[in-house]
Every structure is written in structure tokens, then in C-alpha cells.
Amino acid sequence: GENVEQHPSTLSVQEGDSAVIKCTYSDSASNYFPWYKQELGKGPQLIIDIRSNVGEKKDQRIAVTLNKTAKHFSLHITETQPEDSAVYFCAASHSGGGADGLTFGKGTHLIIQP
Amino acid sequence: DAGVTQSPTHLIKTRGQQVTLRCSPKSGHDTVSWYQQALGQGPQFIFQYYEEEERQRGNFPDRFSGHQFPNYSSELNVNALLLGDSALYLCASSPTAVSEQYFGPGTRLTVT
């Protein structure tokens, strides 16, 4: 089955700096890669996703890149703000036109230092 | 428009008991997936329901079962509870033929 590795487990950055979280996946058939943000006591919130036919996607301060050859994808957050502090999860799945079960990484605790 | 809702919020059960958790999907969504999230870990896929049938299943024993109703709401049942079943149980919904899954706030289950 699919295996998703996520690094680092904890990331501390100064407010206004950029943060990068990296994930690798094992199953070359995976073609859908979402990122979720989870705040304390809440469920994961979808913040951005990318499909295997796209190399990069951007939404305001958040961007995701995908390297299919290396089976590697990354989340980039620019101009970090205190409200960006949370646990971030990457995930992967096969998507044959429907919602398949997601395989998640173990999460990155992002801390924004004021 | 209400998002995904789950009940109850918290639950405490004793080892060996049975539990039922409930989920109402986001309006317009017909597919429901269940995940287990242990403390400090990422969610793990349990199973997915579509058209009232189990469409996919993760690596969980058959103590974990589910149901989907005609209004697309869903239940997760866990029999013969073990201490290791203590976790946050998350429900996610999505529309037909769309990959995006939207999560509810979860039910925190504690088994003593």
C-alpha cells in the first residue's frame, strides 16, 4: 500500500519568513495530493491540493509543488503569520474520478515565532 | 451551509463495550469516509461509503463496521472495544466524482 513520509516533524520560523514542508510517497499510481491544516481541537481543514498532471499550484501565500519522477511534493507558505501556527498534514491517494481513501503523513507542527 | 457534523463530541467507554458514532455530510455530498487519528499521528483511513455500500476499506479489523443511510448520513460502529481504540474519529465527506474531502470536527473516544 501507499506510504507517505513527512518532514520535518516540527518547524519553527520567525513571523514574516517562509516555511517549507516536504513529503514523499511510495506508490507511483497516486495522483492526488492534498494538504490539510489542523488546529487544536478541530478537524483537518483542506488548504490546497494538486493533481499529478500539474507541477505547481498557488493560492495567495500558499503554494504546492509536485515532482512525479522523484515522488516528492512540498508545501510552501510565504510571509508567515501567527494564525499559520498549526499542525500540517500531507496526503496522497489514487483518484479515479472519485474520492479515494487518503494516506496521510505524520504531520508537521508549524510554530510561528513573533 | 453547515459543514460536516459529528456526534457525540466526546465519549468514554469501557473495554469490551460497543460504540456508535454518527456523521452528517456537507450539503450536496454523497460520499462519506471515516478516519482514526491517534494522538500525535496523521489520520488513518478506515472505510468509505457511497450509495449505502462500503466502497473502500483500509487496514482495520472487522470489529469496525459502518452504515450509510438514504440521506447520506453515516454511522461508524466499533465492537469489543480495546484500549488502543482510544482516538479521535473523523468523518469526511465529498461530492460524487470529486477527490476533495472535507472533515468534520471529530469524536474523541476514550476507552478505559
Side-chain angles (χ1 to χ4, degrees):
Chain A
E2 175 66 278
N3 182 50
V4 176
E5 299 281 344
Q6 183 172 347
H7 299 281
S9 56
T10 304
L11 178 60
S12 181
V13 302
Q14 289 294 124
E15 182 179 349
D17 288 350
S18 296
V20 180
I21 302 170
K22 299 181 178 182
C23 290
T24 59
Y25 61 98
S26 62
D27 189 345
S28 56
S30 289
N31 56 8
Y32 175 65
F33 307 94
W35 286 87
Y36 287 86
K37 174 184 180 182
Q38 188 173 27
E39 296 173 292
L40 202 60
K42 297 185 177 180
Q45 175 194 359
L46 179 65
I47 57 172
I48 196 167
D49 58 11
I50 193 167
R51 298 171 197 280
S52 59
N53 59 347
V54 174
E56 184 173 357
K57 184 177 178 181
K58 189 173 181 180
D59 182 4
Q60 298 182 334
R61 296 186 296 109
I62 294 174
V64 58
T65 59
L66 171 65
N67 182 328
K68 285 194 310 182
T69 303
K71 288 189 275 187
H72 170 274
F73 58 115
S74 300
L75 177 71
H76 305 251
I77 305 174
T78 59
E79 301 173 9
T80 53
Q81 301 169 3
E83 53 265 36
D84 294 330
S85 293
V87 179
Y88 290 80
F89 292 97
C90 62
S93 77
H94 304 164
S95 170
D100 282 15
L102 297 169
T103 300
F104 282 83
K106 291 190 174 181
T108 295
H109 186 193
L110 178 61
I111 301 165
I112 308 301
Q113 303 278 7
Chain B
D1 175 30
V4 179
T5 59
Q6 293 186 242
S7 63
T9 306
H10 297 90
L11 203 51
I12 300 174
K13 289 287 189 178
T14 303
R15 193 170 43 184
Q17 286 187 318
Q18 179 264 344
V19 69
T20 297
L21 311 182
R22 295 176 176 82
C23 171
S24 290
K26 193 174 165 64
S27 178
H29 290 191
D30 58 6
T31 302
V32 173
S33 302
W34 286 91
Y35 293 80
Q36 180 195 66
Q37 186 177 24
L39 205 59
Q41 301 294 316
Q44 281 196 289
F45 175 65
I46 302 175
F47 44 52
Q48 183 182 88
Y49 277 83
Y50 172 68
E51 291 189 339
E52 302 180 50
E53 292 195 357
E54 185 181 290
R55 177 173 170 263
Q56 278 192 335
R57 189 177 184 93
N59 189 24
F60 277 80
D62 57 11
R63 296 188 299 111
F64 290 77
S65 63
H67 190 76
Q68 186 179 34
F69 298 94
N71 67 351
Y72 308 123
S73 67
S74 178
E75 289 182 348
L76 164 65
N77 301 292
V78 187
N79 293 323
L81 284 167
L82 304 174
L83 296 179
D85 295 331
S86 294
L88 180 68
Y89 287 86
L90 295 161
C91 170
S93 73
S94 50
T96 305
V98 172
S99 303
E100 296 85 36
Q101 296 183 33
Y102 297 89
F103 283 82
T107 294
R108 172 71 62 188
L109 172 65
T110 302
V111 182
T112 62

